[in-house]
Amino acid sequence: MTAPGEAARRRPARRPTIKDIARRAGVSESAVSFALNDRPGVSDDTRARVRRVAEELGWQANSAARALSGERAGALGLVLARPARTLGVESFFLQLVSGIQEVLSARQIALLFQVVEDLDTECALYRRWWAERRVDGVLVVDPRTDDPRPELLATLGLPAVAIGGPPGPAPTDQQPDAAPPPLLPTVWADDARAMARVLDHLHGLGHRRIVHVAGLPDLAHTARRIRSLRTEAALRGLTEREVRSVTTDYSDAEGAEATRRILDDARPPTAIIYDNDVMAVAGASVAAERGIPVPAALSIVAWDDSALCRVTHPRLTALVRDTPGFGRLAAHELLTVLDGGPLRTVQGELPHLEPRESTGPCG
């Protein structure tokens, strides 16, 4: 049986309205509207009193009303179309979001984050957000080699910044230097130079049979890393039989399975490059299961550094980059666009390679 007053205690508190503020401040509702929307028509004293009362009551502008009046929604969107099972173990996106949130919090802007099954669902969500005026702009991650999102967002007129994409479409064998201007402002990382640093390190240690365990094949940065590996290998006189890439979904399960297949080759590699920390740790575990010493018989490099790389034994050689800083850069660029600034292509900081105990001279 419900005790007296319990129902009232459970009832959600009613949100304060403009009428409540007007009653408390002793002014008209139109005066409250002028004061809260920073419009002329009220004195400075009245404006200050209205705002003080609004703060005391915990009043917040209604997002739908702001949309109808043409004001900003006060939120940015981020959609992630990735296999859900890969998100709980990969630290990259958590660090990226932390950097984005750091910038948005300073401006009291919310981040509307959603995980979806596929790219079609992501595009449908952009259309709904645009129609409902839910967000002022979006941050687009995981650019594809054939990506419908830039054209869609441009057509909708929804401001956006792409994170991680190249400055234009990914080059192809037929057009190695193709880089027309991107449809969206872009914050990108130089994966080609990063791959060159990894190859320099392994080649300098005497490794000639190297396999790259890459991520999802339709991602632009995956294609860019694979192409860069081939280019850098050719510059060092290595053939595609000696240096090659295989694609996965970034998960530890597929990273481990890819490692097993690679090690079953008639001439297995002496070094493996993994596109993230989780797959690198899984690969090291497979090597341990098979009694393959790291790095005496197999060197391992992780593309992204994390705590996993530093606590695994042996500690994993990894590319170290400021992922939260990359998120901050992207958020700043989108806010610049919303504030009327230029549409730019901005390069993030080039990661540096941190050699650790998982790489050594080729035996």
Side-chain angles (χ1 to χ4, degrees):
M1 182 175 177
T2 303
E6 185 175 342
R9 286 196 299 272
R10 290 180 178 177
R11 188 179 303 121
R14 183 176 65 85
R15 287 190 175 91
T17 65
I18 285 180
K19 184 180 292 186
D20 297 326
I21 298 171
R23 186 182 303 115
R24 173 82 67 91
V27 298
S28 67
E29 292 179 33
S30 60
V32 172
S33 179
F34 290 153
L36 294 179
N37 290 294
D38 204 22
R39 295 172 182 166
V42 294
S43 68
D44 290 342
D45 288 344
T46 299
R47 193 184 309 278
R49 184 167 73 257
V50 167
R51 289 181 174 177
R52 183 175 63 254
V53 169
E55 184 175 351
E56 290 171 355
L57 293 176
W59 180 85
Q60 294 291 333
N62 180 275
S63 60
R66 281 199 304 265
L68 290 172
S69 66
E71 296 181 33
R72 290 186 179 180
L76 301 182
L78 174 63
V79 185
L80 192 58
R82 280 278 191 101
R85 66 182 181 280
T86 68
L87 301 181
V89 293
E90 191 174 10
S91 63
F92 173 83
F93 281 106
L94 180 62
Q95 295 180 53
L96 184 75
V97 169
S98 72
I100 293 169
Q101 190 61 51
E102 184 180 336
V103 172
L104 301 190
S105 295
R107 292 273 296 265
Q108 296 186 324
I109 296 172
L111 180 65
L112 186 56
F113 176 69
Q114 192 157 340
V115 178
V116 297
E117 289 296 320
D118 52 42
L119 208 57
D120 289 340
T121 308
E122 180 177 345
C123 289
L125 187 59
Y126 290 146
R127 293 187 184 94
R128 179 160 65 83
W129 281 354
W130 172 81
E132 296 175 356
R133 306 295 195 271
R134 296 287 301 277
V135 297
D136 299 312
V138 295
L139 294 160
V140 180
V141 296
D142 285 343
R144 266 64 170 182
T145 51
D146 184 16
D147 201 326
R149 296 173 297 174
E151 185 174 354
L152 169 65
L153 292 167
T155 300
L156 294 175
L158 183 59
V161 167
I163 300 177
T172 65
D173 291 329
Q174 292 73 34
Q175 294 180 297
D177 299 320
L183 288 174
L184 298 180
T186 301
V187 175
W188 68 291
D190 194 341
D191 291 307
R193 288 179 62 193
M195 184 63 81
R197 289 186 170 185
V198 174
L199 260 291
D200 276 341
H201 176 66
L202 294 176
H203 191 264
L205 291 171
H207 294 280
R208 300 297 181 265
R209 298 197 307 277
I210 302 168
V211 173
H212 168 217
V213 179
L216 294 162
D218 62 335
L219 299 184
H221 69 257
T222 299
R224 198 161 59 249
R225 292 176 190 178
I226 290 173
R227 178 178 175 80
S228 176
L229 180 75
R230 291 202 308 263
T231 300
E232 295 298 328
L235 290 174
R236 293 162 179 78
L238 305 177
T239 68
E240 291 188 17
R241 291 188 62 185
E242 294 172 305
V243 179
R244 60 190 178 89
S245 298
V246 296
T247 57
T248 68
D249 68 355
Y250 282 114
S251 70
D252 56 330
E254 285 207 11
E257 182 56 33
T259 304
R260 294 185 185 98
R261 293 196 306 269
I262 291 165
L263 295 178
D264 284 339
D265 285 351
R267 298 183 73 239
T270 61
I272 304 178
I273 305 164
Y274 294 89
D275 255 5
N276 68 11
D277 54 341
V278 174
M279 292 196 298
V281 171
S285 296
V286 170
E289 290 170 3
R290 296 193 171 195
I292 300 173
V294 175
L298 178 68
S299 285
I300 291 177
V301 177
W303 192 272
D304 285 323
D305 189 31
S306 73
L308 282 177
C309 297
R310 297 188 292 273
V311 301
T312 299
H313 180 75
R315 296 186 307 153
L316 302 183
T317 294
L319 279 169
V320 178
R321 57 178 168 177
D322 182 7
T323 303
F326 201 50
R328 290 192 296 270
L329 180 61
H332 276 302
E333 285 303 305
L334 183 51
L335 293 179
T336 296
V337 171
L338 292 175
D339 291 339
L343 309 184
R344 306 189 300 175
T345 293
V346 181
Q347 182 178 340
E349 177 185 339
L350 183 69
H352 70 273
L353 188 69
E354 183 73 27
R356 298 190 181 112
E357 293 89 348
S358 70
T359 52
C362 181

